[in-house]
Amino acid sequence: MSTQDPPSPPLNWFAARIADAFRKHYQTPATVVAAAPGRVNIIGEHVDYNGGWVLPAAIERWIVAAAAPREDGVVALHDDRTGETANFLVTELGRTPQRSWSNYVRGVLAGFTALGLQLPGFSLTISSTIPLGGGLSSSAALEAVVARILGQLFGWETTPLQLAKLCQRAEHDYAGVPCGLMDQAAVLMSREAHLLLLDCATEAVSFVPFSNPDWQILIINSGVAHELADGEYAKRRAACHQAASTLGVKSLRELDSSCLPGIGRILNEEMNRCVRHVLTENERTIQAVAAFGRNDLLEVGRLLNASHASLRDDYRVSCAELDFIAATTQQIEGVAGCRMTGGGFGGSAVALVQSAVIKSVSNTVTSDFAARYGRSPEIFVTRPAAGAIAWSILQEEIL
Ligand code: ADP
Ligand code: MG
């Protein structure tokens, strides 16, 4: 029996294709299918691990997976896009030293073990339309698709928040990225036609409607692959933590920008810049939620532009390509605003664009970028999508 209804096109078509790829690879039918979207953060960047507010949405790009249980205690993995495979015993859940996506699977399995669940073996095939390392959280989508499909396969009952935390732990321990909860919450808990407002201090989730047909979310992938595990992300996180402890607060969330003039002399330059970004970004996010509520997308755009400047100048997590995309896109008629999105050091930018000019804006950004860098950026429009889902394949679909 299916616990969730299968989704509508194009996702159900993609899922049927992955079930077919599974059958061809393993010579046996899959019994469950799952899909997890990537995410774009509209605003609230690098504040999740500071207890702040974030406003992401799931995007219409997915990792899909098909799976079936096995009797031999083996976990068999297959990436249909690259043909890559990996096999390990379900009892061998240590992190492999190789750069392998099996680490994300091992991390999620280790999370289920920690919940006291008995792990049987299974076979899994995946495929994806989310760019890898593009700042759109393919890593959280991979964790989420595995978590959802295993829940469906073995009938494990968990809440979305529990799964998000389990996936976050996998990212910390198996990918080496000390991320906050935003990515995993967004890919697991998002709702169609809504932005997800997550209060990272209380973990309270609420939804901000975004279905205004006059405006579109445009994503521009710089094609610069970021390497969050390489240390800069962890350094920023450490500077914020150190600043909070110097200022005697549990997290920077407890402060607001009115204290900035007073704390300037207490912190060193590095901490000052980080704190200035975090406090002003928290305020921009709250203001953006209010502006969405008033349908004032021009004000949201202004906040996006200010967020980019703060990430570029104070937090220093942008790069030349993202600065170029933000600066050129912000100038175009019909664009409310544009900023880098995600952890930074590469990856993607997000823009709010009037629907009437979306094609010409995409063309202008593409040609300006190509003239500067000699290659085209990947560029696409998305509506806010639903979070990860899994469903069983009915017997008659298999036969
Ligand atoms: P982002 O989450 O922004 O895409 P990360 O560096 O956090 O960037 O995650 C990218 C990593 O996630 C890849 O290097 C790969 O190990 C893993 N990954 C994500 N999606 C897939 C996939 N479809 N197939 C294989 N590995 C994947
Ligand atoms: Mg990631």
Side-chain angles (χ1 to χ4, degrees):
M1 244 235 340
S2 136
T3 51
Q4 282 175 304
D5 290 336
S8 46
L11 192 47
N12 61 357
W13 173 86
F14 194 12
R17 224 189 62 190
I18 200 69
D20 202 40
F22 181 100
R23 192 173 35 72
K24 287 201 178 98
H25 184 75
Y26 294 107
Q27 302 294 310
T28 185
T31 55
V32 291
V33 185
R39 68 96 191 90
V40 60
N41 191 19
I42 302 298
I43 196 162
E45 209 65 81
H46 281 280
V47 297
D48 58 349
Y49 51 83
N50 287 303
W53 292 268
V54 296
L55 193 64
I59 60 172
E60 296 169 303
R61 293 285 183 112
W62 295 274
I63 296 186
V64 293
R70 296 171 68 108
E71 301 294 328
D72 57 3
V74 167
V75 175
L77 307 179
H78 164 232
D79 184 342
D80 185 51
R81 214 171 31 91
T82 60
E84 198 189 329
T85 59
N87 285 281
F88 55 92
L89 283 173
V90 78
T91 46
E92 290 173 359
L93 296 182
R95 182 183 185 205
T96 73
Q98 292 106 349
R99 266 185 98 89
S100 157
W101 64 274
S102 78
N103 272 326
Y104 293 90
V105 182
R106 291 168 199 262
V108 171
L109 285 167
F112 281 121
T113 314
L115 291 179
L117 295 163
Q118 282 287 326
L119 303 182
F122 61 91
S123 301
L124 179 86
T125 289
I126 62 163
S127 191
S128 175
T129 54
I130 309 171
L132 302 193
L136 302 172
S137 256
S138 70
S139 60
L142 178 55
E143 292 144 15
V145 86
V146 172
R148 274 275 187 243
I149 209 162
L150 294 180
Q152 183 77 5
L153 196 57
F154 300 120
W156 294 331
E157 296 289 334
T158 44
T159 65
L161 184 61
Q162 206 174 13
L163 279 191
K165 287 185 175 179
L166 185 156
C167 291
Q168 181 195 20
R169 174 112 336 262
E171 183 108 17
H172 284 200
D173 297 346
Y174 284 73
V177 180
C179 60
L181 191 60
M182 173 174 73
D183 295 354
Q184 290 77 14
V187 305
L188 279 152
M189 300 164 86
S190 283
R191 279 191 197 157
E192 204 175 327
H194 290 80
L195 311 178
L196 178 144
L197 176 63
L198 173 67
D199 177 335
C200 298
T202 63
E203 292 168 352
V205 163
S206 54
F207 293 93
V208 177
F210 182 92
S211 54
N212 186 332
D214 298 337
W215 291 92
Q216 308 257 13
I217 298 169
L218 186 68
I219 293 173
I220 308 136
N221 182 2
S222 69
V224 179
H226 65 139
E227 296 290 351
L228 293 186
D230 275 356
E232 289 300 316
Y233 185 99
K235 273 191 213 158
R236 297 299 183 283
R237 189 174 173 145
C240 291
H241 193 255
Q242 202 189 341
S245 101
T246 307
L247 296 168
V249 291
K250 202 162 141 260
S251 82
L252 296 179
R253 149 69 172 267
E254 293 170 39
L255 306 173
D256 63 52
S257 63
S258 65
C259 73
L260 285 173
I263 61 179
R265 286 180 310 276
I266 305 170
L267 304 175
N268 66 24
E269 177 62 14
E270 170 68 12
M271 287 192 275
N272 256 317
R273 289 172 137 202
C274 289
V275 171
R276 194 158 55 220
H277 166 69
V278 171
L279 302 195
T280 58
E281 185 75 352
N282 273 338
E283 290 170 8
R284 281 186 289 272
T285 305
I286 296 302
Q287 287 165 18
V289 171
F292 273 115
R294 300 190 303 272
N295 223 350
D296 185 355
L297 278 284
L298 292 176
E299 170 65 4
V300 175
R302 195 191 62 73
L303 294 161
L304 261 55
N305 294 348
S307 170
H308 185 83
S310 178
L311 289 158
R312 180 191 61 210
D313 302 335
D314 273 340
Y315 220 63
R316 289 148 294 127
V317 290
S318 187
C319 66
E321 290 84 349
L322 286 172
D323 289 343
F324 180 84
I325 291 170
T328 47
T329 309
Q330 287 170 11
Q331 301 301 317
I332 305 172
E333 187 78 28
V335 173
C338 180
R339 67 175 203 91
M340 57 154 279
T341 183
F345 308 107
S348 300
V350 60
L352 276 179
V353 182
Q354 273 174 352
S355 305
V357 293
I358 193 83
K359 278 232 158 61
S360 66
V361 170
S362 303
N363 291 341
T364 307
V365 175
T366 303
S367 59
D368 286 359
F369 188 91
R372 174 75 177 77
Y373 291 104
R375 60 184 172 82
S376 295
E378 182 184 10
I379 188 159
F380 60 94
V381 171
T382 188
R383 285 166 302 180
I389 55 168
W391 64 101
S392 297
I393 302 176
L394 299 176
Q395 205 56 35
E396 54 271 30
E397 291 174 47
I398 297 171
L399 293 173

Coordinates of all heavy atoms in Angstrom, one line a residue, residues 170-202:
A170 N 24.3 13.3 9.5 CA 25.1 12.5 8.5 C 26.0 13.5 7.7 O 27.1 13.2 7.4 CB 24.1 11.9 7.5
E171 N 25.5 14.7 7.5 CA 26.3 15.7 6.8 C 27.5 16.1 7.6 O 28.6 16.3 7.1 CB 25.5 16.9 6.4 CG 26.2 18.0 5.6 CD 25.7 18.1 4.2 OE1 24.7 17.6 3.8 OE2 26.5 18.7 3.4
H172 N 27.3 16.3 8.9 CA 28.4 16.7 9.9 C 29.4 15.5 9.9 O 30.6 15.8 9.7 CB 27.9 16.8 11.3 CG 27.1 18.1 11.5 ND1 27.0 18.6 12.8 CD2 26.5 19.0 10.7 CE1 26.3 19.8 12.7 NE2 26.0 20.0 11.4
D173 N 28.9 14.3 10.2 CA 29.9 13.2 10.5 C 30.4 12.5 9.3 O 31.5 11.9 9.4 CB 29.2 12.2 11.4 CG 28.7 12.8 12.8 OD1 29.2 13.9 13.1 OD2 27.9 12.2 13.5
Y174 N 29.7 12.5 8.2 CA 30.1 11.7 7.0 C 30.6 12.5 5.9 O 31.2 12.0 5.0 CB 29.0 10.7 6.6 CG 28.9 9.5 7.6 CD1 28.4 9.7 8.8 CD2 29.4 8.3 7.2 CE1 28.3 8.6 9.7 CE2 29.4 7.2 8.1 CZ 28.8 7.4 9.3 OH 28.8 6.3 10.2
A175 N 30.1 13.8 5.8 CA 30.6 14.7 4.7 C 31.6 15.7 5.3 O 32.2 16.5 4.5 CB 29.5 15.4 4.0
G176 N 31.6 15.9 6.6 CA 32.6 16.8 7.2 C 32.2 18.3 7.1 O 33.0 19.2 7.2
V177 N 30.9 18.5 6.9 CA 30.4 19.9 6.8 C 29.5 20.2 8.0 O 28.4 19.6 8.2 CB 29.5 20.1 5.5 CG1 29.0 21.5 5.4 CG2 30.3 19.7 4.3
P178 N 30.0 21.1 8.9 CA 29.2 21.4 10.1 C 28.0 22.4 9.9 O 28.0 23.5 10.4 CB 30.3 22.1 11.0 CG 31.2 22.7 10.0 CD 31.2 21.9 8.8
C179 N 27.1 21.9 9.0 CA 26.0 22.8 8.6 C 24.9 23.0 9.7 O 24.9 22.2 10.6 CB 25.4 22.2 7.3 SG 24.7 20.5 7.6
G180 N 24.1 24.0 9.5 CA 23.0 24.2 10.3 C 21.8 23.3 9.8 O 22.1 22.4 9.0
L181 N 20.6 23.6 10.2 CA 19.5 22.7 9.9 C 18.8 23.1 8.6 O 17.9 22.3 8.1 CB 18.5 22.6 11.1 CG 17.4 21.6 11.1 CD1 18.0 20.2 11.0 CD2 16.5 21.8 12.3
M182 N 19.1 24.2 8.0 CA 18.3 24.8 6.9 C 18.1 23.8 5.8 O 17.0 23.6 5.3 CB 18.9 26.1 6.4 CG 18.2 26.5 5.2 SD 18.7 28.1 4.6 CE 20.3 27.7 3.9
D183 N 19.2 23.3 5.2 CA 19.1 22.5 4.0 C 18.2 21.3 4.2 O 17.4 21.0 3.3 CB 20.5 22.0 3.5 CG 21.4 23.2 3.2 OD1 20.9 24.4 3.2 OD2 22.6 23.0 2.9
Q184 N 18.5 20.6 5.3 CA 17.7 19.3 5.5 C 16.2 19.6 5.8 O 15.4 18.9 5.3 CB 18.4 18.5 6.6 CG 19.7 17.9 6.3 CD 20.9 18.9 6.3 OE1 20.7 20.0 6.8 NE2 22.0 18.5 5.7
A185 N 16.0 20.7 6.5 CA 14.6 21.1 6.8 C 13.9 21.5 5.5 O 12.8 21.1 5.2 CB 14.5 22.3 7.8
A186 N 14.6 22.2 4.6 CA 14.0 22.7 3.4 C 13.7 21.5 2.5 O 12.6 21.5 1.9 CB 14.9 23.7 2.7
V187 N 14.6 20.6 2.3 CA 14.3 19.5 1.4 C 13.3 18.5 1.9 O 12.6 17.8 1.2 CB 15.6 18.8 0.9 CG1 16.6 19.7 0.3 CG2 16.2 17.9 1.9
L188 N 13.1 18.4 3.2 CA 12.2 17.5 3.8 C 10.8 18.1 4.1 O 9.8 17.4 4.1 CB 12.8 16.8 5.1 CG 13.7 15.7 4.8 CD1 14.8 15.6 5.9 CD2 13.0 14.4 4.6
M189 N 10.8 19.4 4.4 CA 9.5 19.9 5.0 C 8.8 21.0 4.2 O 7.8 21.5 4.5 CB 9.9 20.5 6.4 CG 10.4 19.5 7.3 SD 11.2 20.2 8.8 CE 9.8 20.4 9.9
S190 N 9.4 21.3 3.0 CA 8.8 22.4 2.2 C 7.4 22.0 1.7 O 7.1 20.8 1.6 CB 9.7 22.7 1.0 OG 10.8 23.4 1.4
R191 N 6.7 23.1 1.3 CA 5.3 22.9 0.8 C 5.3 23.6 -0.6 O 5.9 24.7 -0.7 CB 4.3 23.6 1.6 CG 3.9 22.8 2.8 CD 2.6 23.4 3.4 NE 2.5 22.8 4.7 CZ 1.8 23.4 5.7 NH1 1.3 24.6 5.5 NH2 1.7 22.8 6.9
E192 N 4.6 23.0 -1.5 CA 4.4 23.6 -2.8 C 3.8 25.0 -2.7 O 3.0 25.3 -1.8 CB 3.4 22.8 -3.6 CG 3.5 22.9 -5.1 CD 2.6 21.9 -5.8 OE1 2.4 20.8 -5.3 OE2 2.1 22.3 -6.9
A193 N 4.3 25.9 -3.5 CA 3.8 27.3 -3.6 C 4.0 28.1 -2.3 O 3.4 29.1 -2.0 CB 2.3 27.4 -3.9
H194 N 5.0 27.7 -1.5 CA 5.3 28.4 -0.2 C 6.8 28.4 0.0 O 7.5 27.5 -0.4 CB 4.7 27.6 1.0 CG 3.2 27.7 1.1 ND1 2.4 26.9 0.3 CD2 2.4 28.5 1.8 CE1 1.1 27.2 0.6 NE2 1.1 28.2 1.5
L195 N 7.2 29.5 0.7 CA 8.6 29.5 1.2 C 8.5 29.0 2.6 O 7.5 29.1 3.3 CB 9.1 31.0 1.3 CG 8.9 31.7 -0.1 CD1 9.5 33.2 0.1 CD2 9.7 31.1 -1.2
L196 N 9.6 28.4 3.1 CA 9.6 27.8 4.5 C 10.4 28.7 5.4 O 11.5 29.0 5.1 CB 10.2 26.4 4.4 CG 10.3 25.6 5.7 CD1 10.1 24.2 5.4 CD2 11.7 25.8 6.3
L197 N 9.7 29.2 6.4 CA 10.4 30.1 7.4 C 10.7 29.2 8.6 O 9.9 28.7 9.3 CB 9.5 31.2 7.8 CG 10.0 32.1 8.9 CD1 11.3 32.9 8.5 CD2 9.0 33.1 9.4
L198 N 12.0 29.0 8.8 CA 12.5 28.2 9.9 C 13.2 29.1 10.9 O 14.1 29.8 10.6 CB 13.5 27.1 9.4 CG 14.2 26.3 10.4 CD1 13.3 25.4 11.2 CD2 15.3 25.5 9.8
D199 N 12.7 29.0 12.1 CA 13.4 29.7 13.2 C 14.4 28.7 13.8 O 14.0 27.7 14.4 CB 12.3 30.1 14.3 CG 12.9 30.8 15.5 OD1 14.1 30.5 15.8 OD2 12.2 31.5 16.2
C200 N 15.6 28.9 13.5 CA 16.6 27.9 13.9 C 16.9 27.8 15.4 O 17.6 26.9 15.8 CB 17.9 28.2 13.1 SG 17.6 28.1 11.3
A201 N 16.4 28.8 16.1 CA 16.6 28.7 17.6 C 15.6 27.8 18.2 O 15.9 27.0 19.1 CB 16.5 30.1 18.2
T202 N 14.3 27.9 17.7 CA 13.2 27.1 18.3 C 12.9 25.9 17.5 O 12.1 25.1 17.9 CB 12.0 28.0 18.5 OG1 11.6 28.4 17.2 CG2 12.2 29.2 19.3

